[in-house]
Amino acid sequence: MSSQPASMRDVADRAGVSLSTVSRVLRGAPGVAPEVRHRVQRAADELSYVVSRNASGLVTGRTGRVAVVVPFLQPWYFGVALAGISDALREADLDMLVYQVGETRARQGWTRSLPLRRNTDAVVTVSMDLSEEECRRLDDVGVPMVLVGQCVPRRASVYIDDRAGAAGATRHLLNLGHTRVAYIGSRTEEWFSTSSRHRLEGYGAAMADAGLSPWSVVRSPGHEGGGLAMGELLSDHDPPTAVLAEFDSIALGAYRTLRRSGVRVPDSVSLMGFDNHEAASVLDLTTVDQAPYDTGLAAGRLTVDILTGTARDDVQLEMPTQLILRQSTAAPRGTRGLSW
Amino acid sequence: MSSQPASMRDVADRAGVSLSTVSRVLRGAPGVAPEVRHRVQRAADELSYVVSRNASGLVTGRTGRVAVVVPFLQPWYFGVALAGISDALREADLDMLVYQVGETRARQGWTRSLPLRRNTDAVVTVSMDLSEEECRRLDDVGVPMVLVGQCVPRRASVYIDDRAGAAGATRHLLNLGHTRVAYIGSRTEEWFSTSSRHRLEGYGAAMADAGLSPWSVVRSPGHEGGGLAMGELLSDHDPPTAVLAEFDSIALGAYRTLRRSGVRVPDSVSLMGFDNHEAASVLDLTTVDQAPYDTGLAAGRLTVDILTGTARDDVQLEMPTQLILRQSTAAPRGTRGLSW
DNA sequence: CTGTTAGCGCCTTCAA
DNA sequence: TTGAAGGCGCTAACAG
């Protein structure tokens, strides 16, 4: 209503006390008579007064805000992770600033372009795959940093074991009796993410353990890449009987190719993804769940704990992954049961 | 590096000028000798100095931040819309605060729980389906407000014509020759969104125009609801030959039921969604595109324009929708061609 | 073109 | 338990 938002002065006047008292009450500081506390509270409510974080931050040096840096906002994973982070920050009454640095990412010095310094209490990066130098550049911001989806020694990190997850997924297919197990991975022209590399390694290790040689096709990420890669695999003189995709979105593209080619899943080819994307359940796609919401929540809480001094700023938090068995994987055709 | 982040004072000292000069340079204000401007710029760079929005905002009354309020962060739509908003705000060098109010939404007075007042320059709500009273409550924050996904008279709104979109989708099915066209809608126990209502109305209107009576099933939103609704439709003594779902996620659930029931799409049943969810392309689902990124971008730019006084704060922006024809819809079985 | 001065709204001493 | 005074880092008037 008021064109001029109320200030602490107004609240003080209305409650008939001094500025300091209002400040104490609103901060929940001790040493205020209950009666007075109540009176101030009511005055503030009546005026719809909200403390200006700008002004208070100027004095305390804390902004009450946490910056979350993501490469992109569109992919499913980020929305879910952000939801977790958001919930955790809200518990601590911290606001969430979101910076999407997608294209900027490539540019040298992108860290500088963000007005982080002095404008945020902590930085959370999600799947940013930071180099050591970028980490140091962000250190320069002078606030605690938490890395999500990436494990860097001696730095607060929340991540999953991509290698183990992919290895487990591969073993699932091997255990079903498959021997011709191919892998579809992703890589852009300028970027081969750590996560991509680890998953590929995990697949390779599991294959090697089984005495099989790896068979991987790497394309651009997303449906398109997955579809193309699957096409290539199908054109082999002896196509795979099982395919593991680096992530669900790739698996979906592969699935489309299979459907269009009239190849039945899992009858002729077992298909498996990674992530447990919401669409995976619709297609009954066997996959590896990595619960990004929980990851976000954990990261958010870790951030809060570091800020309150409850946690050290080099905590490493490995989140669990879980095999989600669905209808897209089965023993290879002609097999009566499991191979063991 | 520096434990104490540099302040404007430091920059001024290093450049050998006064505070105001530094301020002018960093604000891009006119009236500074090029040589001096350059010197200051360099000093700031060397110190990794970034202006504290906290402090400047205290003086200017502007925070350099825009609050975006969403019910949820997880669904695909919001991530995409946020990406658009984010890009638009970045163009204007504004930061984006994100508030997820999901569960809080129901609570009376949720608007008060957000520290919006004095902490943001504008508020953008996305698919919040605000009541007149909630709008007024947000007005109380005292900053411009832009509504996305909702059209409220005399308020800045960016939205699509859900009614027309659903009617167009329905007509597509009718034009193919279908007469038994069912609709699967959504509604939670406590919420029947305006968008849901409009889409249902659009379907109803198109059916009425064709002299057909509507046939709608309403369930909880999401895959589950869609799957259940489809099951119900299939159990009819004379099932529909075409189904329009309120949004893609519902259509995906319906698709799963159809697949599991062995009903072929589009041979036996044509299936259509709304939104153009990324998974829709994988399933070759005919749908209505509503380009949430563009909507977000437009909303973000409108916000910026309102802030700079370039646009009025009651601009209504209707975004286009577009029919995306894919393989999930076709003329009913036994039809040689189109019915007209 | 540049420097000086006076606050912006709040928190934090300190004194009462 | 409460109030008064100073200053956080910056911008906006003014003066030079």
Side-chain angles (χ1 to χ4, degrees):
Chain A
M1 294 300 133
S2 44
S3 55
Q4 282 292 52
S7 84
M8 203 174 257
R9 176 78 267 156
D10 303 317
V11 180
D13 289 349
R14 181 174 255 262
V17 295
S18 76
L19 275 177
S20 346
T21 302
V22 176
S23 174
R24 277 190 273 262
V25 172
L26 266 30
R27 253 177 312 132
V32 180
E35 193 275 327
V36 177
R37 184 178 292 278
H38 193 74
R39 194 145 40 95
V40 170
Q41 200 63 261
R42 199 156 45 95
D45 284 352
E46 288 168 356
L47 293 171
S48 299
Y49 175 76
V50 173
V51 173
S52 159
R53 293 203 153 155
N54 253 15
S56 66
L58 199 53
V59 182
T60 62
R62 309 196 104 205
T63 63
R65 273 168 241 124
V66 170
V68 180
V69 183
V70 298
F72 301 101
L73 240 13
Q74 313 212 7
W76 166 83
Y77 178 87
F78 296 97
V80 182
L82 273 186
I85 297 174
S86 164
D87 285 347
L89 295 182
R90 163 165 302 253
E91 286 171 1
D93 210 34
L94 288 166
D95 287 347
M96 181 173 77
L97 281 166
V98 178
Y99 295 97
Q100 182 189 26
V101 299
E103 309 309 329
T104 325
R105 179 73 175 72
R107 233 174 43 206
Q108 182 79 356
W110 61 272
T111 51
R112 293 283 216 59
S113 78
L114 304 182
L116 295 180
R117 181 171 268 253
R118 304 195 123 279
N119 289 305
T120 185
D121 292 342
V123 177
V124 178
T125 67
V126 183
S127 298
M128 285 296 292
D129 228 347
L130 301 170
S131 66
E132 247 312 321
E133 198 203 322
E134 287 170 325
C135 279
R136 261 181 280 109
R137 212 103 49 62
L138 281 176
D139 278 341
D140 198 45
V141 173
V143 298
M145 168 165 59
V146 173
L147 311 178
V148 177
Q150 178 184 196
C151 176
V152 173
R154 311 190 53 69
R155 290 182 187 281
S157 318
V158 183
Y159 56 93
I160 60 167
D161 188 338
D162 284 297
R163 223 176 264 130
T170 308
R171 279 196 301 273
H172 163 61
L173 296 171
L174 295 172
N175 288 343
L176 283 171
H178 293 277
T179 52
R180 301 190 59 72
V181 180
Y183 178 90
I184 305 180
S186 76
R187 151 181 230 162
T188 62
E189 286 190 29
E190 69 277 354
W191 204 246
F192 189 32
S193 81
T194 317
S195 160
S196 295
R197 210 163 40 231
H198 285 175
R199 292 187 188 180
L200 179 53
E201 286 170 14
Y203 157 78
M207 289 294 277
D209 280 353
L212 298 168
S213 47
W215 179 6
S216 60
V217 182
V218 173
R219 285 285 176 286
S220 65
H223 313 141
E224 301 71 22
L228 293 175
M230 192 68 236
E232 177 173 328
L233 289 172
L234 285 179
S235 72
D236 195 272
H237 69 284
D238 190 6
T241 62
V243 174
L244 171 61
E246 183 191 315
F247 44 88
D248 285 343
S249 178
I250 290 179
L252 295 182
Y255 177 86
R256 174 163 60 178
T257 295
L258 288 170
R259 184 163 44 77
R260 289 183 176 171
S261 311
V263 177
R264 300 185 58 107
V265 174
D267 310 1
S268 302
V269 173
S270 281
L271 181 61
M272 183 162 179
F274 198 123
D275 278 352
N276 200 15
H277 187 288
E278 61 169 338
S281 87
V282 172
L283 289 184
D284 282 328
L285 186 71
T286 293
T287 189
V288 178
D289 186 75
Q290 68 155 310
Y293 177 85
D294 296 336
T295 299
L297 195 65
R301 288 188 174 148
L302 175 56
T303 306
V304 172
D305 289 346
I306 292 177
L307 247 20
T308 59
T310 316
R312 300 181 33 156
D313 65 354
D314 61 352
V315 173
Q316 307 268 323
L317 220 52
E318 184 178 305
M319 303 299 290
T321 58
Q322 192 190 349
L323 196 65
I324 306 289
L325 293 176
R326 296 214 183 89
Q327 307 305 316
S328 71
T329 52
R333 193 153 38 181
T335 311
R336 287 240 161 261
L338 300 177
S339 60
W340 29 260
Chain B
M1 295 297 135
S2 44
S3 56
Q4 282 293 51
S7 83
M8 202 173 256
R9 175 79 267 154
D10 302 316
V11 180
D13 289 349
R14 182 175 254 263
V17 296
S18 75
L19 275 178
S20 355
T21 303
V22 176
S23 175
R24 276 190 276 260
V25 171
L26 266 30
R27 257 178 307 135
V32 180
E35 194 275 326
V36 176
R37 183 176 293 276
H38 194 73
R39 193 146 39 94
V40 170
Q41 201 62 261
R42 200 155 45 98
D45 283 351
E46 288 166 358
L47 293 171
S48 298
Y49 174 76
V50 174
V51 173
S52 159
R53 293 206 154 154
N54 254 13
S56 67
L58 201 52
V59 182
T60 61
R62 311 196 104 204
T63 64
R65 273 168 240 126
V66 170
V68 180
V69 182
V70 299
F72 300 102
L73 240 14
Q74 314 213 7
W76 166 83
Y77 178 86
F78 295 98
V80 182
L82 274 186
I85 297 174
S86 164
D87 286 347
L89 295 182
R90 165 166 299 255
E91 285 171 2
D93 210 36
L94 288 166
D95 288 347
M96 181 173 78
L97 281 166
V98 178
Y99 295 97
Q100 181 190 26
V101 298
E103 310 308 329
T104 326
R105 179 72 174 74
R107 235 175 41 207
Q108 182 77 358
W110 61 272
T111 51
R112 292 280 215 64
S113 80
L114 306 180
L116 296 178
R117 181 172 270 253
R118 302 194 124 280
N119 289 305
T120 186
D121 291 343
V123 177
V124 178
T125 67
V126 183
S127 298
M128 284 296 294
D129 228 347
L130 301 170
S131 66
E132 248 312 320
E133 197 202 324
E134 287 170 323
C135 279
R136 261 181 280 110
R137 210 103 53 61
L138 281 175
D139 278 341
D140 198 44
V141 173
V143 298
M145 168 166 59
V146 173
L147 311 178
V148 177
Q150 179 184 195
C151 176
V152 173
R154 313 189 52 69
R155 289 183 188 280
S157 318
V158 183
Y159 56 93
I160 61 166
D161 188 338
D162 285 297
R163 222 175 267 132
T170 307
R171 278 195 302 272
H172 163 60
L173 296 171
L174 294 172
N175 288 343
L176 284 172
H178 292 278
T179 52
R180 300 189 59 72
V181 180
Y183 179 91
I184 304 180
S186 76
R187 149 181 230 161
T188 63
E189 285 190 29
E190 69 278 354
W191 204 246
F192 189 32
S193 82
T194 318
S195 161
S196 295
R197 211 164 38 232
H198 285 176
R199 290 186 189 181
L200 179 53
E201 286 170 12
Y203 158 78
M207 290 294 277
D209 280 353
L212 297 168
S213 46
W215 180 7
S216 60
V217 182
V218 174
R219 284 286 176 286
S220 64
H223 312 142
E224 301 73 21
L228 293 175
M230 193 67 235
E232 177 172 329
L233 290 172
L234 286 179
S235 72
D236 195 273
H237 68 283
D238 191 6
T241 61
V243 174
L244 171 61
E246 185 190 314
F247 45 88
D248 285 344
S249 180
I250 290 179
L252 295 181
Y255 177 85
R256 174 164 59 177
T257 295
L258 289 170
R259 184 163 45 77
R260 289 183 176 172
S261 311
V263 178
R264 301 186 57 108
V265 174
D267 310 0
S268 302
V269 173
S270 281
L271 181 61
M272 182 162 181
F274 198 122
D275 278 352
N276 201 15
H277 187 289
E278 61 169 338
S281 88
V282 171
L283 290 184
D284 283 328
L285 185 72
T286 293
T287 190
V288 178
D289 185 76
Q290 68 156 311
Y293 177 84
D294 295 336
T295 299
L297 196 66
R301 288 187 173 149
L302 176 56
T303 306
V304 172
D305 289 346
I306 292 177
L307 247 21
T308 58
T310 316
R312 299 182 34 157
D313 65 354
D314 61 352
V315 172
Q316 307 267 324
L317 221 51
E318 184 178 305
M319 304 298 290
T321 58
Q322 193 190 349
L323 196 63
I324 306 289
L325 293 177
R326 296 214 182 89
Q327 308 304 317
S328 72
T329 52
R333 192 155 38 182
T335 310
R336 289 237 160 264
L338 300 176
S339 61
W340 28 259

